Amino acid sequence: MQLEALKTFLNKVELMNTLTNKGNRTVIDDKWYDAVKNQALRVLEEAQEIVDGCDNKCLKEVLDGVVDTQVTSLPLIDMLEAVKFDVTGAMIEIAYNNLTKVVTDRKIAEQTIEQKFNYDTHYIDEVEYDSTTFYSVKRKSDDKYEKPVGYKSPDISYLSSAFIVTGK
């Protein structure tokens, strides 16, 4: 049921992108960067609606903002794919890499706080999953999880020839 609803949602967003000319730029130039930036600003606008909805304790505003952040972020994928980025490959690479931010060795979590943060502002969260204990370092103020000591960012440059051309 959820997968089918997600497919319907994606199809409707894709149709809207087609009807509004999103993702039609096939050259990375100033106009492309402007279009991507403008679309990203739409995402921020909708994310602010979520924040405002939480501040106002308005569930309708929160729900609308959550859905609209998805609606406004999906055209960015089309814009990247139009210039030959392997966005699906990047999604998978980044998803796997994010899992490296959670460790099974508590000592690594402790070292992370001791070397990068402190126990006044951060804590170690512990979760049991599939008979294994996982540890993450989180900021106390908002529960944001942090990168552990030894973390390496994913290399996604191989997912587009554009990186080779521009070098960044």
Side-chain angles (χ1 to χ4, degrees):
M1 174 74 170
Q2 281 187 330
L3 184 57
E4 202 55 44
L6 183 58
K7 286 179 184 176
T8 299
F9 173 78
L10 292 173
N11 286 336
K12 298 301 179 195
V13 171
E14 184 68 31
L15 175 59
M16 185 64 176
N17 292 343
T18 300
L19 297 175
T20 58
N21 266 335
K22 300 289 182 187
N24 64 344
R25 300 191 186 286
T26 58
V27 176
I28 299 175
D29 57 10
D30 288 344
K31 287 183 179 183
W32 182 84
Y33 277 109
D34 288 344
V36 170
K37 178 182 175 181
N38 287 335
Q39 193 62 36
L41 290 170
R42 301 297 72 76
V43 176
L44 288 174
E45 185 179 309
E46 298 304 339
Q48 185 61 52
E49 187 175 336
I50 300 167
V51 172
D52 294 344
C54 290
D55 288 345
N56 299 328
K57 301 203 179 350
C58 178
L59 295 175
K60 180 183 175 290
E61 197 172 7
V62 170
L63 177 60
D64 184 61
V66 167
V67 173
D68 280 345
T69 56
Q70 303 309 303
V71 169
T72 55
S73 66
L74 289 172
L76 291 167
I77 293 172
D78 291 339
M79 292 169 150
L80 290 168
E81 288 178 341
V83 292
K84 307 300 182 215
F85 278 82
D86 179 2
V87 178
T88 303
M91 288 176 170
I92 293 167
E93 185 76 30
I94 291 168
Y96 276 113
N97 182 267
N98 277 339
L99 290 172
T100 68
K101 297 176 185 176
V102 180
V103 297
T104 56
D105 185 347
R106 183 177 177 89
K107 288 180 183 172
I108 293 173
E110 291 170 353
Q111 289 172 354
T112 299
I113 291 181
E114 292 162 5
Q115 293 177 24
K116 296 174 71 176
F117 308 105
N118 64 64
Y119 285 97
D120 291 334
T121 59
H122 289 74
Y123 70 98
I124 297 172
D125 193 26
E126 193 174 299
V127 173
E128 286 288 324
Y129 179 78
D130 201 23
S131 302
T132 302
T133 304
F134 292 89
Y135 304 96
S136 60
V137 172
K138 292 186 177 180
R139 191 167 49 202
K140 288 181 179 179
S141 63
D142 59 4
D143 270 352
K144 178 190 182 291
Y145 61 88
E146 305 282 9
K147 298 168 184 153
V149 171
Y151 170 81
K152 291 183 177 69
S153 295
D155 177 13
I156 56 172
S157 62
Y158 69 94
L159 295 168
S160 173
S161 61
F163 289 116
I164 296 167
V165 173
T166 65
K168 51 184 175 175

